Amino acid sequence: MQLSHLLLPTFPEKHVRLLCSLIGSRDFAKSPDAAGAILVYLMTESRKLSMHQKRRFLREFERIFPKVTARAWQICFSISELVGSDFRDDAALDMFLRLVDLPKPHARVSVAHGLEHIVCDSDNPSLASTALQALENMASDPAESVRMQVEESLLIIERDRNPSNAESQQH
């Protein structure tokens, strides 16, 4: 990939194809360093992605999420950051809702984190409400790590919605 596209107003389709093939590769789910570089790159360029390109990435992310090893948990976390913060639409929420029951706790932790971002970052109150309800439903997850993430996410959401309460609690 050439860096000259950074000056372009849109994301080149050939780069989407290349990145999707890398994300779909067998080694992506085991390689936090390579995956991290790709996902950070996508975060910096996400505003240039078309809706079609975002949908392609969502499909790849959903396929890879259950395959990510515990050692490479940062991949799930980075995907949840990107999708929850930058995509934050119905398709992003639907992806997280389909992933909420994955058997791997490290993946569910990241699902909770992604839902938090949709609640905090979405301009759509209905979407945020649905994401919040899904997050609250995860509060009884069998894994302590997931329950802890849900608790932290709910505190962040509360602080985000009521900044004056957060300031008064700090004093």
Side-chain angles (χ1 to χ4, degrees), residues 4 9 44 67 69 71 86 131 161:
S4 61
T44 62
K67 299 174 185 175
T69 63
R71 186 180 74 79
D86 296 344
R161 289 184 170 179

Side-chain angles (χ1 to χ4, degrees), residues 3 6 9 26 31 41 63 94 113:
L3 295 179
L6 294 173
R26 193 173 11 161
S31 177
Y41 171 74
R63 279 189 211 130
D94 289 344
H113 183 71

